[in-house]
Amino acid sequence: MARPGSGGGLLLRRLLSQLSRSAQGATLRISQAPAASYGTSVTSAKVEVNGVRLHYQQTGSGSHAVLLLPGMLGSGQTDFGPQLKSMNKQQFTVVAWDPRGYGKSIPPLRDFPADFFERDAKDAVDLMQALKFKKFSLLGWSDGGITALIAAAKNPNLIHKMVVWGANPSVSEDDVKLYNAIRDVSKWSERARQPMEEMYGHDYFSKTCAAWVDGISQFAQKPNGSICQSLLPHINCPTLIIHGEKDPLVPRFHPEYLHKHIKGSQLHLMPEGKHNLHLRFADEFNRVVEKFLL
């Protein structure tokens, strides 16, 4: 799912307020000098994976590696500030990546072929292997949650545990109507538009958002609107599905479908949570996630 803009009425304004990102084999070539520093303990570098130089941030020195997967147009910087800052750095080594065409993993320009989620899943797994993590857990938000589901299903021997939230394994015609309502970024609120324009510039942001709408909408033409439904029975790792009960973008039937079709999964409901619950309720989210991972 995405973060729509406002200006098209009350519904879009509500959606935007809930989608703001603000809380307030692979060939290995790592660019290490100078690695940018975020705060005192988060570093940044790039690795060449599948022909693309992927940007990532890393923090912590724990034995349990965790990959954070962002949403549409997302990056570690925009989507996971509270997790990079506050997750237990003694227990975990936390990596947040920018998928190809997003964040600082440009070039290439982002595109949305029919298999773009599968491509992201392969890139994500190959990145972690290039960084020499033999086994790791996945934390995926929104589109990143879909990517995580595919990665876990296709790489059962590599994934330790998985947490997903705001993820939908299918696309309905109602979803497509919502996606088209956010196509024109000029209708987004300034609060939601500004960080994206600062990251990408207006033209790239606008064109990529419109391309994403077309890319995600194509799944509605598939049987049952499936993105990854057929893969869910192949997920073997312990899985926690978190759902914000006030999320207007991902109805409860989506996490319930995941819970039903991923064997042994757990479903955790946050009564006040919205789509960006990991930012709005970061302390609670981090506690729940860390307890599950440990």
Side-chain angles (χ1 to χ4, degrees):
M1 282 302 312
R3 310 154 167 72
S6 137
L10 177 60
L11 175 60
L12 287 182
R13 286 196 296 273
R14 285 182 57 225
L15 292 174
L16 251 212
S17 69
Q18 296 162 11
L19 291 176
S20 170
R21 284 184 162 93
S22 171
Q24 191 231 258
T27 301
L28 175 62
R29 270 180 29 200
I30 302 180
S31 300
Q32 294 185 350
S37 177
Y38 294 81
T40 58
S41 59
V42 181
T43 59
S44 171
K46 287 189 175 184
V47 182
E48 184 167 319
V49 175
N50 299 325
V52 176
R53 288 172 57 76
L54 294 176
H55 176 263
Y56 69 96
Q57 295 165 276
Q58 183 170 326
T59 186
S61 57
S63 59
H64 189 149
V66 177
L67 176 64
L68 309 180
L69 300 98
M72 180 270 277
L73 277 162
S75 65
Q77 176 179 324
T78 57
D79 286 17
F80 292 115
Q83 287 68 51
L84 288 167
K85 178 181 178 181
S86 300
M87 283 189 70
N88 188 315
K89 298 183 193 316
Q90 286 71 49
Q91 297 282 353
F92 303 106
T93 295
V94 180
V95 177
W97 83 310
D98 299 357
R100 62 171 68 198
Y102 286 167
K104 296 179 181 178
S105 293
I106 302 173
L109 302 181
R110 182 69 180 188
D111 62 353
F112 299 92
D115 65 345
F116 73 91
F117 280 118
E118 283 80 2
R119 182 183 64 185
D120 284 349
K122 178 172 172 52
D123 283 349
V125 170
D126 289 350
L127 167 66
M128 293 299 280
Q129 291 191 299
L131 296 177
K132 307 302 182 185
F133 295 110
K134 295 181 179 179
K135 199 164 186 176
F136 49 92
S137 293
L138 302 172
L139 268 64
W141 176 35
S142 199
D143 273 17
I146 300 170
T147 300
L149 293 167
I150 295 169
K154 292 191 171 185
N155 302 275
N157 295 327
L158 298 177
I159 309 305
H160 183 42
K161 295 184 178 183
M162 176 170 60
V163 182
V164 296
W165 65 105
N168 48 303
S170 61
V171 173
S172 69
E173 291 299 333
D174 286 340
D175 292 328
V176 172
K177 292 177 183 178
L178 176 59
Y179 302 152
N180 277 291
I182 69 168
R183 180 187 294 271
D184 183 357
V185 300
S186 69
K187 296 179 179 179
W188 290 35
S189 71
E190 182 178 358
R191 179 187 176 192
R193 190 172 63 245
Q194 182 178 357
M196 294 294 98
E197 292 185 340
E198 289 177 352
M199 172 70 75
Y200 297 111
H202 175 78
D203 287 348
Y204 188 82
F205 168 44
S206 177
K207 291 177 182 178
T208 306
C209 180
W212 177 87
V213 172
D214 293 335
I216 194 74
S217 297
Q218 66 188 310
F219 293 102
Q221 306 306 315
K222 296 190 174 185
N224 300 315
S226 177
I227 300 174
C228 61
Q229 289 176 330
S230 65
L231 293 176
L232 301 181
H234 300 287
I235 296 174
N236 296 320
C237 64
T239 300
L240 174 63
I241 303 151
I242 301 177
H243 179 63
E245 295 198 82
K246 293 186 177 180
D247 186 342
L249 293 172
V250 180
R252 184 166 170 170
F253 73 81
H254 280 309
E256 288 180 341
Y257 185 96
L258 293 175
H259 183 40
K260 179 179 179 180
H261 290 87
I262 300 175
K263 55 183 173 290
S265 62
Q266 302 175 35
L267 177 59
H268 179 85
L269 301 176
M270 294 179 63
E272 298 301 316
K274 299 175 183 177
H275 196 63
N276 62 349
L277 57 85
H278 66 299
L279 302 176
R280 176 65 179 84
F281 301 102
D283 290 344
E284 177 184 356
F285 175 86
N286 288 354
R287 284 196 303 271
V288 169
V289 166
E290 289 186 357
K291 180 179 179 181
F292 172 75
L293 293 178
L294 294 174

